[in-house]
Amino acid sequence: MKMIKGLVLGSVAGLLAVGGAQAADLPLKAKAVEYVKVCSLYGAGFWYIPGTDTCIKLGGYLRVDVLANTNSVDTGNVNGPAGAKNRFTNAYTWRSREDLNIDTRTATEYGVLRTYADLRFNWTDDSFTQNAPGATVYSAIGPAPFGSAPNNANAGAVAAGTVGTYYAFIQFAGFTIGKTVSAFSTPWHNYPGNNFDGLVGGGGTDTGVNQFTYTAEFGQGISASISAQDPTQSYQAGVNNLGVPGGFGYGTSDYGGTVAPDIVGQVRVDQAWGLFQASVAAHDNHAAYYGATEPSGHPDDRWGWAGQLGLSIKNIPTGPGDVINLQGVYTDGATRYNIQDLAAQYGAVLLFGSSNVAYQSLGFGFAPDTVFASGGSQQLIQTWGFNGGYTHNWNPYWNSSIYGGYAAVRYNGTAKALMCGPGGTVAVLLTPGDTCNPDYNIAQVGFVTRWTPVKNLTFSGDVTWSQLDQKYAGTVTFGSLGIAKPTTAYELKNENNVVLLLRAQRIW
């Protein structure tokens, strides 16, 4: 008995000794797990990056667009295969897009330090054109995948999508540095009520422009901005050299290197009743040479300018959330501040129709920043325009908008003499006695209805009618192999176009 008792006590003592040794090896307190924390300083959706005092928010949307009667996405059907109105014109064009935006913010003694990026990934249909009699080629948007044959008639089946960096900027102590919407544009950019991208009559750059901007806030919603922005991508409509043969006698664009940014100023009042904004811009037109080499000489630079007024009216009696957005613009040698970058097709219109006196009818109009002849100075092109929209909310699930835009393009007397005078670059293409006048107008009217069955999911239909009001009259001899147009006489007259946009979009 004594032996058994001794064995049991010895075993217990041994277990306690082992347990004590193991306990001595464990830390006294486990390190706390650092979970992601919500950041409430800048609104919903922000959270702290672990281990920092920086807040981040991820967002974006997925959008699918199907457009009827166009070869382009949301910008009209007014040139190339789209304007040909024949078997090269798409009955529909399809685009799928994923948008990703990344917003970071950090509180500093100078105010909030912010960075923002908006990246877009697209897959879009494109067009077939004729590259030899009876043979066509697919003009794939984006590079073809490795190993594919982009010049094959079936290359459309393997065409890759595109990636776009719409915005990428830093904001600090009142400065905005990088790529974002121009300070010239209103807060609704070129969308006073529309989904349609190609609305004329005001500044755009919805896809962003590189800039260095300072904004001063004066309180009560009053602010002022001064900006230097890069014109190369979005604000160069063309400095056309009439001495070099080009489409319909309008010459060929002849830019030199970029030597000066556009200078933009803006004053804005943004309050509960709505918004008022005044914007101005100065734009340098820097041409290269009259001929092939330096000794041929060059025209001096000409500075153009643009001015715009914008007005938004909220809290109108038709219903809660209803809004009216309006803007008007004038440009002199700075066309893209009116016929904005996503509406650039309306600055180079080549639209066909039917005729009772010729093979077909044809309307054309071009709106560069300047034109010039060999040995002469640049002639600035003037434009004016406006656009607007009214949005009405029928109930929390349905709303509709009616909208429109207008742009007028005018050439001065010297430019008209170079193009339409005796031996002029356009006059020689027309039948003697025809009316030669490069001025033209663009008018647009549209209607869109949106249905939001659940939060952040919207289905919409948007129909847009456009008219080219051109000032030529008579006939012109023209032909284009690429869109199967025979070389023959075409009647010059106004042309119309209708586009339908169907969209499904989920914001996240």
Side-chain angles (χ1 to χ4, degrees):
M1 191 63 150
K2 288 182 179 180
M3 183 179 294
I4 295 173
K5 185 177 180 180
L7 288 172
V8 170
L9 292 174
S11 298
V12 171
L15 289 171
L16 291 173
V18 171
Q22 290 177 339
D25 292 337
L26 292 175
L28 297 177
K29 185 177 180 181
K31 186 176 180 180
V33 177
E34 185 174 7
Y35 294 100
V36 173
K37 297 186 298 182
V38 172
C39 174
S40 59
L41 297 175
Y42 310 109
F46 283 90
W47 42 274
Y48 284 99
I49 298 175
T52 75
D53 59 356
T54 296
C55 299
I56 187 170
K57 179 179 180 179
L58 303 179
Y61 62 82
L62 194 148
R63 175 189 294 172
V64 179
D65 290 341
V66 178
L67 295 100
N69 192 38
T70 182
N71 294 51
S72 62
V73 182
D74 301 3
T75 57
N77 197 0
V78 295
N79 59 26
K85 295 186 178 179
N86 61 14
R87 296 185 68 84
F88 288 109
T89 304
N90 289 349
Y92 68 89
T93 295
W94 202 313
R95 178 178 69 184
S96 297
R97 165 184 287 176
E98 172 60 46
D99 176 276
L100 170 65
N101 55 69
I102 307 167
D103 190 348
T104 71
R105 306 188 193 190
T106 306
T108 76
E109 58 269 35
Y110 298 96
V112 175
L113 167 61
R114 183 190 186 199
T115 67
Y116 187 87
D118 186 4
L119 311 176
R120 300 187 184 183
F121 307 84
N122 300 312
W123 186 284
T124 311
D125 295 344
D126 205 343
S127 304
F128 282 93
T129 56
Q130 190 166 240
N131 64 335
T136 61
V137 60
Y138 189 79
S139 304
I141 295 177
F146 179 77
S148 65
N151 290 324
N152 185 279
N154 296 319
V158 294
T162 59
V163 177
T165 302
Y166 277 26
Y167 308 141
F169 62 85
I170 298 170
Q171 287 181 322
F172 178 67
F175 291 94
T176 299
I177 307 166
K179 190 170 187 277
T180 187
V181 177
S182 170
F184 187 87
S185 298
T186 57
W188 55 90
H189 313 167
N190 42 294
Y191 302 95
N194 48 302
N195 290 347
F196 175 71
D197 285 334
L199 199 66
V200 299
T205 64
D206 184 64
T207 59
V209 59
N210 279 324
Q211 61 188 269
F212 186 94
T213 301
Y214 178 74
T215 300
E217 302 281 352
F218 302 108
Q220 297 184 330
I222 302 173
S223 65
S225 299
I226 184 72
S227 178
Q229 63 183 29
D230 179 19
T232 309
Q233 177 186 7
S234 300
Y235 286 105
Q236 291 184 335
V239 289
N240 281 21
N241 186 347
L242 299 177
V244 178
F248 290 99
Y250 284 79
T252 301
S253 189
D254 188 20
Y255 277 109
T258 305
V259 297
D262 284 11
I263 306 300
V264 176
Q266 175 222 96
V267 176
R268 178 181 293 173
V269 179
D270 189 355
Q271 298 175 343
W273 62 266
L275 176 142
F276 172 79
Q277 178 176 313
S279 308
V280 294
H283 172 75
D284 180 42
N285 294 293
H286 179 74
Y289 298 97
Y290 293 123
T293 60
E294 295 170 349
S296 66
H298 61 81
D300 292 337
D301 286 17
R302 289 289 305 274
W303 279 85
W305 67 277
Q308 176 176 268
L309 298 176
L311 178 67
S312 180
I313 305 173
K314 306 174 185 177
N315 302 320
I316 56 181
T318 54
D322 290 6
V323 63
I324 296 173
N325 295 320
L326 302 167
Q327 59 188 1
V329 64
Y330 179 85
T331 75
D332 188 10
T335 300
R336 281 289 174 267
Y337 288 93
N338 180 356
I339 304 175
Q340 45 94 11
D341 51 318
L342 296 182
Q345 293 192 49
Y346 291 95
V349 182
L350 184 62
L351 189 58
F352 292 85
S354 60
S355 172
N356 296 322
V357 299
Y359 173 70
Q360 288 178 356
S361 65
L362 169 62
F364 65 91
F366 296 88
D369 289 324
T370 73
V371 296
F372 62 91
S374 182
S377 61
Q378 296 188 72
Q379 303 300 312
L380 303 181
I381 308 304
Q382 291 77 42
T383 80
W384 61 269
F386 57 87
N387 64 46
Y390 163 62
T391 299
H392 173 64
N393 294 281
W394 302 101
N395 56 47
Y397 307 101
W398 290 88
N399 73 52
S400 298
S401 300
I402 186 170
Y403 62 88
Y406 188 87
V409 178
R410 299 293 181 264
Y411 287 71
N412 66 23
T414 301
K416 287 181 177 178
L418 292 171
M419 301 169 70
C420 291
T425 57
V426 177
V428 297
L429 304 176
L430 304 180
T431 303
D434 288 351
T435 299
C436 182
N437 184 348
D439 296 345
Y440 72 98
N441 307 315
I442 293 290
Q444 300 167 319
V445 176
F447 181 80
V448 56
T449 291
R450 305 175 183 90
W451 175 48
T452 305
V454 297
K455 184 178 180 181
N456 295 331
L457 175 65
T458 301
F459 302 93
S460 59
D462 187 350
V463 60
T464 309
W465 171 85
S466 301
Q467 182 188 58
L468 167 68
D469 172 22
Q470 52 102 59
K471 305 305 179 183
Y472 293 105
T475 60
V476 63
T477 300
F478 174 78
S480 174
L481 173 66
I483 54 176
K485 295 297 182 181
T487 301
T488 186
Y490 292 80
E491 180 188 6
L492 295 167
K493 71 175 189 179
N494 300 342
E495 301 291 349
N496 302 296
N497 174 54
V498 176
V499 174
L500 173 65
L501 164 61
L502 301 176
R503 171 172 292 174
Q505 177 171 293
R506 193 281 170 90
I507 300 173
W508 57 272

